[in-house]
Amino acid sequence: MAFRRKNPYVFYTDRKKHHGRAILRFILILILILIAAGFALAMVSAHDLQYIRQQITIPNLPAEMEGFAILHLSDLHGRKDQDMVNRIQNYVKNRTWSCLVMTGDMIGKEADPEGVLRICSLFPQDMPKFLILGDEDPDYLVSYAHENLTPFAEWALRLQQAGIVILDEPVLITRGAQEKARLWIVPESLYTLDLGMMQWTYAGRLKQWDGQSSYTPDEEAQKRVAEYQADRVERILSKVGQMQEGDIQIALTHVPVTEQEVRQAIQDQDRNGTFSYRKISMILAGHYCAGQWRIPGKGPVFVPELGWFPEDSLVNGIGYPGGIQQYISPGLGVSEIYPYQPFRFLNPASITSIELTARMV
């Protein structure tokens, strides 16, 4: 019977397998650590604040308007934490702007203006401040019985008392000798509004109360709103009539306009009219919060209205729909239009300084 020598390496294969598993386990743990670190870093950056400086060329800008600076905020969504206010204060102190514009969803569904009031208190009282409403803001007009005897909601009255204009008609800003340099801040919705039809509608509503001697509280509120709207249409028509060929028109909208919308509006409007899309020098917008979740170098991950990985200029920064310059603010808060993206990811809250120039930049 032959002697079979023992294999001194009988366990060698098992030890090699065990060593391979250990390496694999180490790699997996390292990957998890890197993912966790990246996620933590993304969350920290998402709670940070960035300051953006954006120069906009307007070729026919009057010399007196050179350097006209607009601080552009959007989509606060009712945030009122002091940390956010402090971060904004750190950027705006020792800086000056010609005006402040807020392009919607600043108040939020809870109708709490405290965050907007705290931010606006950082600026001089006489600095013009304009706010338009977004799709997640409450209405500023109240057509049912409420606490005050004005057509305005309580939160809207508080803003007005603080010197903030809820922009629903054009506002003129002038500069230079004899105020010859003229710039209009205009709600974008007015460019496609049938003002004649609106005038007729509210005149009809007011006529239904002719001869009526008493009103219910709700009827009184409805009448106040109708009177305000009828007067507003008259003011808009008067201001449109004051617009001149060389005036600069800057439009504010919450939801950015699209290529198709611009082309359709231009097609439908009077080619020679002084109040039309053709005369808009710049549009300022918000709404998308820059996509909420972003990938560096790629842009937004998913936007419900636009799909996966949409073009960044559709939701953030500068774009040119129909040849009109449009700047979309990355925003300050978190939007509910992203049901599966409940926070900002790799997407810090932002404020933008828009600086107008006649020079090519």
Side-chain angles (χ1 to χ4, degrees):
M1 184 174 181
F3 176 75
R4 183 172 293 176
R5 187 177 179 183
K6 274 189 175 181
N7 183 356
Y9 305 107
V10 68
F11 298 112
Y12 176 77
T13 303
D14 289 341
R15 282 200 299 268
K16 186 175 182 181
K17 286 182 180 179
H18 180 74
H19 185 61
R21 287 177 187 156
I23 292 174
L24 181 60
R25 191 180 299 117
F26 173 78
I27 292 172
L28 289 174
I29 291 172
L30 182 62
I31 290 172
L32 290 173
I33 291 172
L34 290 173
I35 290 173
F39 187 81
L41 180 62
M43 291 301 292
V44 168
S45 70
H47 286 83
D48 201 357
L49 179 74
Q50 69 173 340
Y51 176 81
I52 302 170
R53 182 171 175 258
Q54 178 72 53
Q55 287 189 297
I56 298 289
T57 297
I58 298 178
N60 63 327
L61 187 73
E64 296 87 347
M65 290 286 182
E66 184 70 32
F68 188 94
I70 302 169
L71 184 62
H72 182 195
L73 311 181
S74 195
D75 296 271
L76 184 67
H77 288 280
R79 286 187 65 177
K80 55 184 178 181
D81 51 292
Q82 193 59 42
D83 179 62
M84 168 66 74
V85 177
N86 291 342
R87 289 174 186 270
I88 292 175
Q89 184 176 30
N90 289 337
Y91 280 108
V92 304
K93 63 184 179 183
N94 303 323
R95 289 186 171 100
T96 58
W97 287 272
S98 306
C99 67
L100 167 67
V101 303
M102 295 169 277
T103 52
D105 282 356
M106 292 292 290
I107 303 300
K109 291 182 176 179
E110 300 302 317
D112 186 353
E114 192 60 37
V116 171
L117 290 170
R118 289 181 182 179
I119 291 171
C120 288
S121 70
L122 302 175
F123 304 97
Q125 183 70 26
D126 60 352
M127 175 183 175
K129 306 173 185 71
F130 305 106
L131 176 142
I132 61 169
L133 302 185
D135 55 322
E136 295 184 35
D137 285 325
D139 199 339
Y140 71 117
L141 299 176
V142 181
S143 57
Y144 54 83
H146 56 288
E147 294 180 20
N148 65 72
L149 297 179
T150 77
F152 303 108
E154 288 297 320
W155 67 265
L157 276 180
R158 290 186 62 190
L159 293 188
Q160 291 170 338
Q161 289 162 2
I164 300 165
V165 176
I166 299 174
L167 191 73
D168 60 1
E169 61 187 76
V171 172
L172 176 63
I173 297 174
T174 60
R175 292 286 188 275
Q178 300 179 338
E179 301 182 335
K180 286 186 176 180
R182 295 156 52 93
L183 181 148
W184 294 89
I185 306 291
V186 185
E188 181 274 333
S189 59
L190 297 187
Y191 288 94
T192 53
L193 189 65
D194 187 335
L195 293 171
M197 178 60 70
M198 189 176 175
Q199 187 179 38
W200 179 85
T201 298
Y202 284 107
R205 289 188 186 179
L206 289 173
K207 188 173 284 189
Q208 71 182 353
W209 286 297
D210 284 353
Q212 190 170 330
S213 58
S214 62
Y215 308 93
T216 67
D218 281 351
E219 285 176 333
E220 288 181 348
Q222 292 163 15
K223 187 170 182 289
R224 287 193 294 265
V225 170
E227 289 171 340
Y228 175 82
Q229 293 284 35
D231 290 343
R232 181 172 77 96
V233 176
E234 294 296 334
R235 293 194 301 271
I236 292 170
L237 289 169
S238 174
K239 290 180 177 181
V240 168
Q242 296 169 33
M243 290 182 176
Q244 301 172 9
E245 184 61 32
D247 291 356
I248 303 300
Q249 297 180 33
I250 295 178
L252 306 187
T253 181
H254 176 58
V255 179
V257 301
T258 65
E259 179 87 13
Q260 183 178 358
E261 289 169 342
V262 173
R263 292 189 181 279
Q264 186 64 53
I266 289 176
Q267 179 180 325
D268 295 342
Q269 290 170 348
D270 179 5
R271 181 175 295 275
N272 299 315
T274 55
F275 183 69
S276 75
Y277 258 76
R278 290 184 176 85
K279 304 302 181 181
I280 297 176
S281 297
M282 176 177 64
I283 299 172
L284 298 179
H287 184 57
Y288 288 116
C289 293
Q292 205 116 302
W293 285 11
R294 295 179 61 83
I295 296 176
K298 182 66 177 176
V301 176
F302 178 78
V303 177
E305 301 166 23
L306 302 171
W308 292 95
F309 305 109
E311 182 182 337
D312 203 17
S313 65
L314 298 177
V315 301
N316 174 59
I318 195 75
Y320 301 89
I324 298 176
Q325 299 181 95
Q326 177 171 248
Y327 180 81
I328 306 172
S329 168
L332 290 164
V334 175
S335 174
E336 292 185 8
I337 68 171
Y338 302 97
Y340 305 110
Q341 302 175 43
F343 50 86
R344 299 177 75 105
F345 183 75
L346 292 172
N347 181 16
S350 304
I351 62 176
T352 306
S353 179
I354 304 287
E355 299 166 17
L356 307 187
T357 180
R359 296 178 289 103
M360 295 303 296
V361 295

